[in-house]
Amino acid sequence: MEQYFVNQTIERDSFRISDKELYKHLATVLRHKSGDVIYLVDDKNELYQATIDQVDTENKFVQFNVKKSSKPTTELPIDVTIACSLSKKDKVEWITQKATELGAKKIIFFNSQYSIMNWKANVVEKKIVRLQEIAKNAAQQSKRRMIPKVSYLKDISELDDSTDDLKLIAYEESAKDGETSILAQSLASQPKSAICIFGPEGGLSSEEVTDLQNNEFVSIGLGPRIMRAETAPMYFLSVLSYNYELNAK
């Protein structure tokens, strides 16, 4: 069943969509007609079953009869932020899409000492708009109740003041040393929010790791294998899903 986000609060049993892009998608591309049913998520992250009452091709709007859905939430029970050093364009887009599918609430990209990519100031806004659209489409496809916020930081040090309950660094040196238990032990405390930082292809520098550790970040290994920069965040999110959703008691 299709699902779409609307930038409005659904307050009545009757709801109208006049957004040009969404109207075109529903009426022109998919050729929906009266009686068809889709799902809508409003700006309060509430899910509604929406039955099309009218497709007005002259005034270009779609009118729905809506009712609040009783479907269980699809959101992770922990607010998760993944913070990744800049990678090549296709990897940044892939990370955004897959992290959204796996339940991240926030996705941050940042510059670090060994980043192989740097964004010039005049392109940052355009890139974030593009990534936010990718997150929106992925959230709709995966039936999320919210769209993750995608943002950019000029330097890794801007992550120092994070207020998340659990502050982690996926550090390959920890994996090489055979560290395997800190992540599991950290999750046992049932934190309400977590952030995990992931370095670029060349890894984080020892100076960057030390600075983060001085700001209450903990270095963890993600198993015995060294993963690619774009794989490690997906492994982390999958671990959280298993811990909080599949293995929940």
Side-chain angles (χ1 to χ4, degrees):
M1 187 71 72
E2 300 156 48
Q3 178 176 304
Y4 302 96
F5 291 93
V6 293
N7 295 320
Q8 299 167 256
T9 301
I10 298 177
E11 298 178 314
R12 298 183 176 87
D13 294 339
S14 182
F15 183 74
R16 176 178 295 187
I17 286 178
S18 54
D19 176 270
K20 292 181 179 179
E21 184 178 342
L22 186 50
Y23 167 81
K24 180 180 178 181
H25 184 72
L26 293 173
T28 306
V29 177
L30 298 179
R31 297 184 179 181
H32 275 303
K33 58 185 183 300
S34 179
D36 290 352
V37 179
I38 64 172
Y39 282 90
L40 299 174
V41 179
D42 72 359
D43 58 4
K44 295 186 180 299
N45 304 328
E46 297 288 354
L47 180 68
Y48 291 85
Q49 181 177 307
T51 304
I52 295 177
D53 181 54
Q54 179 187 5
V55 177
D56 190 318
T57 56
E58 180 178 352
N59 297 300
K60 299 189 183 306
F61 67 80
V62 181
Q63 190 80 25
F64 295 91
N65 291 319
V66 298
K67 63 177 181 179
K68 197 169 183 178
S69 174
S70 60
K71 285 187 174 184
T73 183
T74 53
E75 295 302 315
L76 278 170
I78 177 174
D79 290 343
V80 187
T81 300
I82 63 163
C84 305
S85 182
L86 286 179
S87 298
K88 294 178 181 178
K89 174 185 175 182
D90 57 343
K91 290 185 179 181
V92 169
E93 293 186 353
W94 189 90
I95 288 170
T96 300
Q97 181 185 67
K98 301 309 174 187
T100 298
E101 292 177 15
L102 288 169
K105 185 173 183 179
K106 296 179 183 177
I107 303 167
I108 300 172
F109 294 102
F110 60 86
N111 280 327
S112 63
Q113 185 174 335
Y114 298 143
S115 294
I116 63 172
M117 288 288 292
N118 287 289
W119 288 353
K120 295 181 179 179
N122 63 339
V123 304
V124 169
E125 182 178 356
K126 181 178 179 181
K127 288 184 178 292
I128 292 300
V129 168
R130 164 68 177 161
L131 293 175
Q132 197 66 65
E133 183 65 19
I134 289 172
K136 176 183 177 180
N137 291 335
Q140 289 180 160
Q141 180 273 324
S142 56
K143 305 300 187 289
R144 294 281 304 271
R145 300 290 177 88
M146 62 162 293
I147 304 169
K149 179 182 178 182
V150 185
S151 59
Y152 167 76
L153 302 177
K154 290 188 292 184
D155 191 87
I156 188 174
S157 62
E158 295 184 55
L159 293 165
D160 288 348
D161 60 357
S162 168
T163 58
D164 288 282
D165 296 339
L166 186 61
K167 299 162 61 169
L168 305 171
I169 316 164
Y171 191 38
E172 63 179 16
E173 295 303 320
S174 296
K176 290 177 182 177
D177 291 342
E179 191 288 304
T180 59
S181 61
I182 293 178
L183 176 56
Q185 293 170 1
S186 299
L187 295 178
S189 65
Q190 296 296 310
K192 299 296 184 183
S193 63
I195 181 173
C196 192
I197 297 175
F198 303 87
E201 285 79 352
L204 296 171
S205 70
S206 58
E207 294 83 4
E208 289 169 332
V209 172
T210 298
D211 178 68
L212 290 166
Q213 290 173 335
N214 288 337
N215 286 279
E216 301 182 337
F217 280 84
V218 177
S219 298
I220 60 169
L222 298 178
R225 293 164 294 281
I226 304 302
M227 301 178 206
R228 291 179 181 271
E230 69 271 25
T231 307
M234 307 311 127
Y235 178 95
F236 175 71
L237 288 167
S238 297
V239 168
L240 294 184
S241 176
Y242 174 79
N243 184 77
Y244 284 90
E245 297 174 320
L246 302 184
N247 196 41
K249 296 181 181 179

